[in-house]
Amino acid sequence: MPMPVPRTAAVAATVALLTGLAAAPARAQADPASQRQRDFAAAAKEFNVPENVLLGVSYLESRWDANAGTPSTAAGYGPMHLTDLREAGVAGTHHDEGTEDPRGDDARPAVHPQAGPAAPPPTLQTVDEAAQLLRTDAKTLRTDPAENIRGGAALLAKYNTDGNWYNAVARYSGSTGDAAQTFADEVFDTIKTGTARTTDDGQQVALAPTPDLAVPQHADRTPAGVECPRRVTCESVPAPYQELPKDDYGNHDLANRPESQKIDHIVIHDTEGYWANVLDLVQDPTYVSWHYTIRSADGLIAQHVPTKDVAWHAGNWYVNAKSIGIEHEGFAAKGTWYTEAMYRSSAKLVGYLSRKYGIPLDRAHIIGHDNVPGTTPITIPGMHWDPGPYWDWSHYFDLLGAPLGGFGLPGSSLVTIDPDFAKNQPAFTGCDKSGSGTPCAPRGSEAVVLHSEPSESSPLLVDIGLHPNGTPSTMDVADVGSRVATGQRYAVAEVRGDWTAIWYLGQKGWFPNPRGARVAKPAIGWVVTPKPGLATVPVYGRAYPEPEAYPAGVTVQAITPLPYSLSAGQKYSSGGTVGSEYYWATTFDPANHVVVKGKLKYVQIQFGHRIAFVKADDVRIVPAF
């Protein structure tokens, strides 16, 4: 159980909460868009729970969204995240799927681990507990937002055994110890600062600030040796660096970053599996690795690999060697949603890492696994696509304190993709894996789909890497061949009425961008274009050195172009110039590891849905306004 707050703090907190309630403004009675606000007020009154406590807990769970009755990663339903494990299915992990080699190093045999299916871990069946209190059934609590809110209020009232709402909130998280305290801290911080938003189903909900609220203060919860920010709960679950038979070893590589190599990227993943099973896997020396995992229910962070070392997570050795990989307990497509508790912990961790290593807070450097390029033409179709089109990048960057979009002048030749997440609902298919043509449930998304002409009926673009037969891309949720993501920047190719075209994989990709409902905002930045006299320049999935840079005993790595080209007259957003590097790490003894650095320079570009690289000698870098 979480440690209680000192009695004086508890009394002050309760008084402040009740004072905040008394000061709340009167609400309109008839506005249908305010019904959820009235539901919170009614449930708080019915169960004698301070309304701002009820609102704060719900915000940390779901941001007051109903999510169309679908479960979260932690099998939670509705605004109050009542859990029902009977509705959750088995899972593996995303490293089991496709043909991607998580290590992605041509100098070593491919790694294709298999985890097998795993059931959701046992936890509280809060939906049953609430149903018993309300004398109703679990289905009603899963599908009726108003009843769901009543159920959450009833549980909070039951958990308030000592008159201390902080402890009741901590217990509501379903966790214990520091993780429960972190959840309660986030709730109380939200109550203190207040917030307001329009939910996924159009409800307007507000939590008035309570600036004098006494929020408990706790010591730093980070264990020694764990790299984490303050005011989150972290633990150490080490991944093993271990010798294996046949001169093999697992499951990561020792290094000395950033002294040996600069860390350029943070890669956001989802686990496609449940917390306990995924943590078992990362401790298996025959499996693969990543640096951190974040739990859905409460935002608990586990560190597995020191950030100085190289984990095997992104399917591209160049990116692995220069990135930190963070897994989030979740599923990219199977009807689940990511909790606010997890978003907040993740944003605090990424903010901490970006400051520590000087990583820019933009979508050229904070990338999804789905933005990592294939290494060679043959690897492109097998690359993974998590965290998927339902990860809310715009909200995530708001939490990072680096909001996306809106910084350029009207008519800029560069745009930032930034649709309204809740209203933007592409008609994807294949979410339940029953078939690529099965429609997904309508849901808010960060993805904008591109067409070959300024018409909804025109075909999608061709991604020759994903579809070598030259057929157009599809609306399958896993097909990223004609899709842009929130926060990514692209050069404008043409505008026709309400339609905008951007340069994308050597083609013009069209999307509706009407005035008053923009999905792309003017941006400021740099773009690359072929140097005069070059009809096309090759595009690469990694920035490897020239052959002359390799010392004796280190195998030269091929500089293999991808099956795309950047043509004269086209422009692509620059993510900055990088040096050429290759980390030779093929033996268990790190004394034999070598960082090869060449004279070649590359420019990172936003070429399609994924990033790519071009040689700096092939292109001009020019400003876009």
Side-chain angles (χ1 to χ4, degrees), residues 35-45 49 51 54-55 58-59 64 79-80 149 205:
Q35 182 58 51
R36 188 153 306 149
Q37 185 89 59
R38 295 194 293 274
D39 291 339
F40 278 112
K45 182 176 181 181
V49 177
E51 185 179 342
L54 188 61
L55 284 164
S58 178
Y59 191 86
W64 306 321
M80 296 304 300
I149 291 169
V205 184

Side-chain angles (χ1 to χ4, degrees), residues 268-350:
I268 303 298
H269 303 256
D270 76 61
T271 60
E272 296 296 314
Y274 298 106
W275 173 262
N277 180 52
V278 168
L279 262 59
D280 285 343
L281 292 172
V282 81
Q283 296 175 82
D284 181 350
T286 66
Y287 204 67
V288 294
S289 60
W290 47 95
H291 292 90
Y292 297 90
T293 307
I294 304 180
R295 189 160 68 188
S296 173
D298 52 16
L300 173 65
I301 300 171
Q303 184 173 11
H304 313 299
V305 177
T307 57
K308 73 178 183 64
D309 295 332
V310 178
W312 303 346
H313 61 98
N316 182 316
W317 183 243
Y318 175 81
V319 174
N320 279 340
K322 298 180 70 62
S323 71
I324 295 168
I326 305 176
E327 292 275 4
H328 298 76
E329 186 187 16
F331 301 88
K334 60 181 281 187
T336 55
W337 42 276
Y338 301 100
T339 65
E340 179 67 4
M342 185 167 65
Y343 274 129
R344 289 195 172 199
S345 283
S346 180
K348 288 180 179 179
L349 175 61
V350 168

Side-chain angles (χ1 to χ4, degrees), residues 500-577:
T500 297
I502 56 174
W503 290 115
Y504 186 98
L505 298 178
Q507 306 156 79
K508 289 183 180 180
W510 292 90
F511 59 93
N513 191 35
R515 183 175 299 176
R518 300 290 195 195
V519 299
K521 314 294 171 56
I524 299 173
W526 299 85
V527 295
V528 304
T529 189
K531 284 186 174 178
L534 296 178
T536 63
V537 300
V539 177
Y540 304 93
R542 48 201 179 182
Y544 277 175
E546 68 279 5
E548 297 77 17
Y550 290 79
V554 175
T555 303
V556 173
Q557 300 300 300
I559 303 176
T560 306
L562 301 179
Y564 314 108
S565 60
L566 194 166
S567 299
Q570 298 178 8
K571 296 178 181 179
Y572 293 88
S573 176
S574 169
T577 301

Side-chain angles (χ1 to χ4, degrees), residues 342-364:
M342 185 167 65
Y343 274 129
R344 289 195 172 199
S345 283
S346 180
K348 288 180 179 179
L349 175 61
V350 168
Y352 160 82
L353 293 171
S354 72
R355 292 188 295 273
K356 182 174 182 178
Y357 293 113
I359 303 170
L361 288 177
D362 60 39
R363 288 285 281 114

Side-chain angles (χ1 to χ4, degrees), residues 177-191:
D178 287 347
Q181 287 188 343
T182 294
F183 179 87
D185 288 352
E186 289 289 351
V187 169
F188 273 56
D189 283 343
T190 303
I191 295 168

